[in-house]
Amino acid sequence: MDATASGTPTIQYHNIPDQPITTIVATPVPTFERRQRHCFGTSSTPGEFPLAANPSIVLHVLTACNLDPQDLAKLEGTCSFFRQPANFAPDFDLCISELAALDMCQKRAIFKPMTTEQRQELKQRCGGSWKLVLRFLLAGEACFRREKSQAIAGPGHSIAVTSKGTVYSFGSNSSGQLGHGTTDEEWRPRPIRSLQGIRIIHAAAGAGRTMLISDAGKVYAFGKDSFGETEYGVQGSKLVTTPQLVESLKDIFVVQAAIGNFFTAVLSREGRVYTFSWGSDGKLGHQTEPNDVEPHPLLGALENVPVVQIAAGYCYLLALACQPNGMSVYSVGCGLGGKLGHGSRTDEKHPRLIEQFQLLNLQPMVVAAGAWHAAVVGQDGRVCTWGWGRYGCLGHGNEECESAPKVVEALSNVKAVHVATGDYTTFVVSEDGDVYSFGCGESASLGHNSAADGQGNRHANVLAPELVSSLKQVNERVVQISLTNSIYWNAHTFALTESGKLYAFGAGDKGQLGIELVANQTERGNPELVDIDLR
């Protein structure tokens, strides 16, 4: 068979002169002198690999292998070659491991557009090392689906973002929170046409409002224009029914937003947290009015600490911080029920470190803030919960409150990678894609059917983690769970699979499931495929 026709490239041979086979065989094989190859590593004794002779190859290998920042640091500790200046651009004084970290930073989407000055500022903020900057960037990518497909189960309405940045919305639309220029409900996913040409990388949904963040760090908002006590009908003088650029944030490169009931928080590319519309009691360290739309930097302990993720509850905020000595969690706001995690129920006006994780020897990697309770996934896969324990939402087998993080022992044989919290409801996703849920079973949002035939009490509360067997039946790995985080709306839940398929269950009376319901039906107890491709 012709190699070219079969799709196999033709092999080219060069500089091999034609000569008889006997000639080749008869040619005496030269004797090569065995030479010692040198490696000037930890001592002057020659080694077995010429690292010093080929630093560019080593740099290429380190970068291509995407080594963890900790592994790069270990290399510096084992061989002086990795600690010496490599004499490579852009900084001739950097060692090989630092250059490798910088190269990997430059692959990150939010790092690429930064100026030299901005990069140096971020480096100093992270601790003065490109390895620490790389850890900061990787931690941000790991804890929420930045620039990946995602689905948001908001209060009565839903937002779905494809991996290419196209946004779909559906469900309740009384305040224009779907962004289509109307206040009509949508029962099927509908693309927001006015965002054509803008790539959205993150979405947040609150009661009657939506916020979207573009790959350029711009924030678009629509729905209610007041962030007061919205559930009781207090709102501004007008409704915004199409996405509008938030002018007050135009000078901040935003990568994440979180919407609470009384406030909104945004996270900048450099790891700074800004809040606005908290109210006049100054719980976040600054005075604001209910209709205040000017961002204020979060003061106190986090002022000079880079944050990789924020999570908003009903009246409090969690921040996952990345420091040279490891990851940590800070909380601020209302402390009722112990949801701030400090072993008490007092309010905190400024961010305060949750010290319990050090006692548990747990490195937090993902945080989730429910309306009244919170959860964390550790690097080792352990799950901690704390706050109000009503309906069993903490997963400890009871309804007791916990004022400090406590490991969910029922998940001791599960390595978790993702956690989501709502109004007295918690979901955990394992490393292999299995999903566990516990807490309030109202609206069938936990995905459980207690009877083998699927006709059991799907509204039952669950006090300890149970496998969501109905999601196991979709035969796909689940990578994200999103559930309604509001005390005034019936809850619904989304499960996003690795292939970009979206499954929905729970309350659907406003079209928020993206599925047409039959007459007199208000919810779906089992996961149903939504007609949308999020790849």
Side-chain angles (χ1 to χ4, degrees), residues 145 148-150 161-166 168 476 496-502 532-535:
R145 296 182 62 78
K148 296 180 181 178
S149 58
Q150 55 192 274
V161 184
T162 72
S163 58
K164 296 179 180 178
T166 302
Y168 292 79
E476 285 207 56
L496 178 64
T497 70
E498 200 166 31
S499 67
K501 293 179 181 177
L502 184 64
I532 185 174
D533 186 354
L534 297 182
R535 287 177 295 180

Side-chain angles (χ1 to χ4, degrees), residues 439-442 446 448 450 457-462:
C440 181
E442 187 177 349
L446 290 180
H448 297 301
S450 59
N457 181 13
R458 62 194 185 199
H459 299 98
N461 300 326
V462 179

Side-chain angles (χ1 to χ4, degrees), residues 32 70 215 348 517:
F32 292 99
Q70 290 180 324
D215 60 352
E348 296 290 340
L517 302 181

Side-chain angles (χ1 to χ4, degrees), residues 123-387:
K123 179 182 177 182
Q124 295 308 312
R125 184 171 171 79
C126 289
S129 163
W130 291 120
K131 293 187 292 294
L132 293 176
V133 173
L134 178 60
R135 189 180 70 168
F136 166 78
L137 297 174
L138 293 175
E141 293 175 3
C143 58
F144 66 97
R145 296 182 62 78
R146 181 186 297 164
E147 298 195 53
K148 296 180 181 178
S149 58
Q150 55 192 274
I152 310 298
H157 76 289
S158 303
I159 305 295
V161 184
T162 72
S163 58
K164 296 179 180 178
T166 302
V167 182
Y168 292 79
S169 61
F170 44 102
S172 175
N173 195 30
S174 58
S175 300
Q177 63 264 40
L178 297 186
H180 300 305
T182 71
T183 55
D184 299 331
E185 291 180 358
E186 295 288 344
W187 285 71
R188 292 286 185 179
R190 177 182 173 185
I192 302 179
R193 301 294 184 188
S194 61
L195 290 171
Q196 190 170 2
I198 300 173
R199 186 189 178 201
I200 299 300
I201 63 168
H202 179 73
R209 60 180 51 83
T210 303
M211 297 183 76
L212 305 174
I213 299 171
S214 75
D215 60 352
K218 302 300 181 184
V219 180
Y220 299 85
F222 41 102
K224 290 180 180 178
D225 63 356
S226 168
F227 289 79
E229 199 150 340
T230 60
E231 313 295 354
Y232 296 105
V234 179
Q235 64 182 46
S237 59
K238 65 176 182 177
L239 302 178
V240 180
T241 60
T242 57
Q244 301 294 317
L245 184 68
V246 180
E247 291 292 334
S248 61
L249 294 170
K250 64 181 180 181
D251 294 327
I252 301 172
F253 195 110
V254 176
V255 295
Q256 189 197 353
I259 303 175
N261 193 68
F262 300 99
F263 70 101
T264 297
V266 296
L267 178 65
S268 78
R269 173 176 58 184
E270 298 78 20
R272 292 188 174 89
V273 182
Y274 298 83
T275 64
F276 46 98
S277 301
W278 181 279
S280 59
D281 57 3
K283 282 195 177 80
L284 291 183
H286 52 73
Q287 301 288 333
T288 61
E289 297 300 323
N291 60 351
D292 186 6
V293 294
E294 291 296 323
H296 299 267
L298 194 59
L299 304 176
L302 286 177
E303 195 167 354
N304 297 308
V305 175
V307 173
V308 298
Q309 183 198 1
I310 52 177
Y314 183 79
C315 52
Y316 71 105
L317 181 72
L318 299 179
L320 178 63
C322 183
Q323 297 173 283
N325 60 347
M327 307 294 290
S328 54
V329 180
Y330 291 76
S331 62
V332 62
C334 173
L336 287 177
K339 58 185 177 290
L340 295 186
H342 304 302
S344 67
R345 301 187 180 188
T346 58
D347 296 350
E348 296 290 340
K349 293 187 176 182
H350 299 283
R352 178 181 171 185
L353 175 68
I354 299 179
E355 298 177 354
Q356 183 69 12
F357 296 115
Q358 295 176 346
L359 299 176
L360 294 172
N361 193 28
L362 185 143
Q363 280 277 329
M365 297 303 292
V366 180
V367 298
W372 305 105
H373 73 293
V376 153
V377 173
Q379 188 177 37
D380 58 5
R382 284 183 292 169
V383 177
C384 288
T385 58
W386 67 97

Side-chain angles (χ1 to χ4, degrees), residues 61-72 75 100-101 104 134 138:
V61 171
L62 294 181
T63 304
C65 290
N66 290 319
L67 289 183
D68 184 273
Q70 290 180 324
D71 293 330
L72 293 174
L75 287 175
M104 284 185 274
L134 178 60
L138 293 175

